[in-house]
Amino acid sequence: MAGKPFSVLYDYTDVPTLRNFALSNKRVRMAMGPFGPLSGDTEYLSNSGWKRISAYSGGDNIAQFSPKTGEIVLLAPDDFIVSPCDEFLHFTGLGIDMMLSLEHRMLWLDDGEFGTTLAGESALDHWEEPIEGEIPNTFAIADKDGLKWSDDELRLQVAVIAEGSFHKHMKKEGETYNTNGCCAGFKKERKKQRFERLLTVNNCEFKKTEYDNGRTYYYFDAPVKIKKFDERFWQANNHQIKIILDELRHWDFHYSNGTTFQYSTTEKESADFIQYCFATQGIAVNINERNRNDGIRKTLYRLNVNPVNRKNVLYRSPDAVSLVKYGDGFKYCFKTETGFFVARRNGKIFITGNSGKSSACVMEIIRRAHEQKASPDGIRRSRWAVVRNSYGQLKDT
């Protein structure tokens, strides 16, 4: 590509470098950074949903990803680093929107194998010939206790979020509006039958009113007075996530052709959570935002779902990667135990990497072992100690 905006990946002037670490023969050395791979409008996944990385102030656990298991674990980051930067590489593609600094460590998936490159290296490669590898954007979750509802209660609550209404006239005599009194109305017979079954299996007393237009209304007390998937739902375990997605298909999924369908909501919290649910089941879904500027209707958030998952790849055009002036003047990075964490930008999820210090130390062992003088039998013998805080961290390294 003519006129490449840079000829070296990183000049390493702001921090001690991995390159200098590898080339030095000093007895005592330290490896730092390079730090700060992401733009400030990138989001990280926390215990209670997505948050801007520029707003991180400590205390949150973040979703750390292990390529070995494919799972995320919510842990506090080892460190959070902010450093100056106003120039980023913008990567775009099918399900991809990433703003990365040149020294960012990217995670790729190629023929089922994970690998890493620096963002600057990937950009130069793509400008020579389009990259075929995928950016990972789905993950499994480690088992956890989950929500305290039974399966039947959870299904009813999903139906309430999808179809229920809480009105002032639903309050019981002598009670305030702070009641779980709810109503739901349906014309389709399949919905009537399913909703009535959910009420029955949950031993919910209900009143049913039928109208001449074929619509039937149900009046009952909901398990909880909520109309969106709020922060409590992020505690759901894998079994409960499967139930939520299965139940939601009876109410809020609109099929277009075959197995492809849409989920739409005016509640951003609900869109964020359902996107997360699909990601845990290996289905990558983007959130498309439609701002209906009529002064009446709320912004609509839509997820287009194709269970036959498409590859998350860069566009083939060289313009899919561009070097741009962008952001608030800083770049942001977490240091994690696993080396990777889950991020999102403009409604598109991706898994991203740390600065690569552990990898540099492993390569140091290999380099030194190769330099060891061979024994009379021709074998180069070398002995090492690798120390981490815990056995789990040691295995990850």
Side-chain angles (χ1 to χ4, degrees), residues 85-309:
C85 182
D86 64 357
E87 197 171 53
F88 292 88
L89 285 165
H90 189 197
F91 289 80
T92 60
L94 188 64
I96 297 175
D97 190 328
M98 304 182 297
M99 201 68 74
L100 314 174
S101 62
L102 273 65
E103 76 280 8
H104 166 65
R105 190 164 64 110
M106 298 177 67
L107 182 65
W108 292 92
L109 184 60
D110 193 6
D111 291 331
E113 297 291 330
F114 287 109
T116 60
T117 61
L118 296 183
E121 181 183 10
S122 294
L124 293 175
D125 288 345
H126 186 78
W127 290 329
E128 293 291 344
E129 184 178 352
I131 297 174
E132 298 293 336
E134 300 174 53
I135 298 292
N137 57 359
T138 62
F139 44 83
I141 57 173
D143 199 20
K144 50 185 173 181
D145 293 338
L147 301 164
K148 302 305 180 184
W149 294 319
S150 69
D151 291 356
D152 288 331
E153 288 171 336
L154 181 56
R155 287 186 179 275
L156 178 57
Q157 191 60 58
V158 171
V160 167
I161 291 173
E163 303 285 354
S165 298
F166 295 92
H167 298 301
K168 291 182 180 180
H169 70 266
M170 287 297 299
K171 68 181 182 181
K172 297 178 181 178
E173 187 176 351
E175 291 185 345
T176 66
Y177 182 36
N178 189 26
T179 175
N180 289 3
C182 186
C183 71
F186 309 99
K187 262 195 170 183
K188 293 181 179 179
E189 196 60 35
R190 67 170 181 84
K191 287 192 173 184
K192 295 177 188 178
Q193 292 177 4
R194 183 161 191 86
F195 202 79
E196 198 162 321
R197 188 186 73 81
L198 289 176
L199 291 171
T200 302
V201 298
N202 281 285
N203 298 315
C204 284
E205 295 183 4
F206 64 91
K207 174 185 174 183
K208 180 169 70 172
T209 304
E210 299 177 347
Y211 291 88
D212 292 339
N213 63 1
R215 185 172 289 274
T216 300
Y217 282 89
Y218 296 86
Y219 303 89
F220 60 100
D221 281 344
V224 181
K225 184 186 173 185
I226 50 174
K227 274 291 295 171
K228 61 184 177 182
F229 293 101
D230 61 12
E231 63 180 20
R232 80 193 75 189
F233 282 89
W234 292 87
Q235 308 311 313
N237 58 34
N238 191 59
H239 170 73
Q240 291 170 329
I241 286 173
K242 291 178 184 292
I243 288 176
I244 290 168
L245 292 177
D246 179 68
E247 190 59 39
L248 206 57
R249 70 185 173 89
H250 295 284
W251 313 105
D252 268 354
F253 289 173
H254 303 285
Y255 286 83
S256 52
N257 54 53
T259 58
T260 303
F261 57 91
Q262 291 180 343
Y263 169 73
S264 300
T265 177
T266 57
E267 298 287 351
K268 188 176 186 303
E269 287 182 69
S270 292
D272 286 347
F273 175 69
I274 296 304
Q275 181 194 39
Y276 160 80
C277 288
F278 279 118
T280 68
Q281 304 306 304
I283 301 173
V285 181
N286 305 326
I287 297 179
N288 300 306
E289 184 174 331
R290 181 185 171 193
N291 191 1
R292 301 182 287 186
N293 295 315
D294 56 11
I296 301 172
R297 296 177 297 174
K298 295 180 179 180
T299 300
L300 185 69
Y301 302 94
R302 177 170 291 164
L303 284 67
N304 295 312
V305 185
N306 184 355
V308 181
N309 210 18

Side-chain angles (χ1 to χ4, degrees), residues 318-356:
D319 294 336
V321 184
S322 57
L323 187 66
V324 297
K325 293 284 186 180
Y326 185 81
D328 57 4
F330 295 94
K331 53 185 178 179
Y332 302 84
C333 181
F334 290 117
K335 180 176 180 290
T336 65
E337 289 187 15
T338 65
F340 303 93
F341 61 96
V342 181
R344 185 179 74 168
R345 187 172 183 275
N346 287 336
K348 298 177 180 180
I349 296 173
F350 60 98
I351 296 170
T352 188
N354 277 348
S355 58

Side-chain angles (χ1 to χ4, degrees), residues 49-100:
W50 297 102
K51 299 180 181 179
R52 283 176 68 104
I53 194 169
S54 61
Y56 183 80
S57 58
D60 263 348
N61 289 341
I62 69 169
Q64 303 191 27
F65 177 81
S66 170
K68 189 176 298 183
T69 64
E71 287 186 343
I72 59 168
V73 180
L74 286 153
L75 299 169
D78 294 339
D79 202 356
F80 176 60
I81 302 99
V82 182
S83 54
C85 182
D86 64 357
E87 197 171 53
F88 292 88
L89 285 165
H90 189 197
F91 289 80
T92 60
L94 188 64
I96 297 175
D97 190 328
M98 304 182 297
M99 201 68 74
L100 314 174

Side-chain angles (χ1 to χ4, degrees), residues 18-70:
L18 304 183
R19 178 185 295 167
N20 291 343
F21 175 85
L23 296 177
S24 173
N25 288 314
K26 292 181 179 179
R27 186 174 181 85
V28 178
R29 286 166 291 153
M30 296 182 66
M32 292 177 58
F35 294 131
L38 304 171
S39 61
D41 59 351
T42 304
E43 298 169 296
Y44 66 92
L45 182 58
S46 73
N47 292 77
S48 55
W50 297 102
K51 299 180 181 179
R52 283 176 68 104
I53 194 169
S54 61
Y56 183 80
S57 58
D60 263 348
N61 289 341
I62 69 169
Q64 303 191 27
F65 177 81
S66 170
K68 189 176 298 183
T69 64

